[in-house]
Amino acid sequence: MCQPPAVALSLTLSVLAESPTASAALVVPHSPVGEHTDLAAVREFARHCDVVTFDHEHVPADVLAALEADGIPLHPSPAALVHAQDKLAMRRRLTELGLPCPRWAQARTAQEVEEFAAQVGWPIVVKAPRGGYDGKGVQVCRSLAEVEPWLSGVGEAGLVDGLLLEEAVDFTRELAVMVARSPSGQAAAWPVAQTVQTDGVCTEVLVPAPDLDEDLAVAAVEGALRIAGELGVTGVMAMELFEVAGPSGAGTADGSAGSAYLVNELAMRPHNSGHWTIDGSVTSQFEQHLRAVLDLPLGDPSTRAPWTVMGNVLGGEHPDLYPTYRHLMARDPGLKIHLYGKGVRPGRKLGHVTVFGGDGSAGSLAELRERARHAADYLQGVIDE
């Protein structure tokens, strides 16, 4: 999705693709095939690049270190990226910075799990520090017996440093803040979005987050910008957070009554919660990421309309989604459809739809949500009319 803004900016992209039929390889002319874990392949690829950036956080540390040693500009840097790769590193650093987080602990033994649960109460959230995404590598556990299978894997890949334990937050809703920062320190932020999760996967994004307290919105954006600055992030960063009723025992934005937020996770790349920006913002997160990693002046992140609603399209009954276009385009000419060129698999994110407009009222937001839901459901075969 960086390719269209790259063409507009007269930039040439290269992608290290996992296969010749990978989504990016279908649209980026220079897409050599190789694994991100293959040091030789990554070094050969990077040798031809002016700047290297990432579309996921799973590039091994030794590969990143080798690129740094080769003098390849990396954005974000490995020193920043580790806070998106390693949830324990993230929790430690955010706690040091005084950012509001759920209560958490590192655990390698059953005793450490029991001690943490005694402090915060069951259930607790167990996370693999590395490798998890879209609900994978995360489990809500209600007893030590449910944690024990995780403990048996401690020391293996993803669990080398043990488990990340967190309190189960009683949150009002989930929010996301997208920001961008350039190497020269310029920064920009989009409005706070509300994200709706289904079985751990984001299915809907509402922008701006409806009925969000203005002070909380400001505090959340300021928090994300502070994180980006303190960690030295370059490029786009997503901060996923919980809105909670304050004051919270876990910490709040300002310690006052009313709503507050707790930081859930970070991603240092264009993120699914920001895909709405392609159609709903003056500058999309993909264009902004390119501007940022090249240290170009950042673009305007303002929204184009009072409301923007994005619905994720997940794999369903239709093996081929393209035939659904005619119906949806005729039914809703204002609908924007984005498919990613992925093979259909149940529950897999295959694309998204976006609608924007309205007059700012709750009624106009409800209408937009219905339009987006219909389109996403039709694409994945949930409905047939």
Side-chain angles (χ1 to χ4, degrees), residues 246-296:
S248 163
T252 65
D254 58 8
S256 62
S259 295
Y261 75 88
L262 300 174
V263 179
N264 183 18
E265 295 188 356
L266 302 177
M268 295 179 191
R269 54 176 168 78
H271 190 258
N272 183 232
S273 61
H275 286 359
W276 66 270
T277 62
I278 298 173
D279 303 301
S281 177
V282 174
T283 306
S284 77
Q285 65 167 340
F286 299 99
E287 178 183 343
Q288 199 78 298
H289 188 70
L290 294 175
R291 288 178 177 234
V293 301
L294 294 171
D295 211 9
L296 297 172

Side-chain angles (χ1 to χ4, degrees), residues 220-356:
V221 170
E222 288 179 344
L225 290 171
R226 183 180 172 217
I227 290 171
E230 293 281 0
L231 301 185
V233 175
T234 48
V236 164
M237 185 191 82
M239 180 178 80
E240 299 178 87
L241 54 141
F242 300 122
E243 181 180 0
V244 296
S248 163
T252 65
D254 58 8
S256 62
S259 295
Y261 75 88
L262 300 174
V263 179
N264 183 18
E265 295 188 356
L266 302 177
M268 295 179 191
R269 54 176 168 78
H271 190 258
N272 183 232
S273 61
H275 286 359
W276 66 270
T277 62
I278 298 173
D279 303 301
S281 177
V282 174
T283 306
S284 77
Q285 65 167 340
F286 299 99
E287 178 183 343
Q288 199 78 298
H289 188 70
L290 294 175
R291 288 178 177 234
V293 301
L294 294 171
D295 211 9
L296 297 172
L298 299 182
D300 181 1
S302 300
T303 57
R304 295 183 181 275
W307 295 117
T308 302
V309 177
M310 185 197 84
N312 275 324
V313 178
L314 306 181
E317 298 300 320
H318 293 319
D320 182 6
L321 304 186
Y322 186 77
T324 63
Y325 278 23
R326 181 177 295 275
H327 169 80
L328 291 176
M329 288 177 173
R331 185 180 189 274
D332 190 347
L335 177 75
K336 301 297 183 181
I337 304 172
H338 299 266
L339 297 181
Y340 307 153
K342 296 180 179 179
V344 176
R345 190 170 67 232
R348 187 184 195 187
K349 287 179 185 172
L350 304 177
H352 69 272
V353 297
T354 308
V355 290
F356 57 91

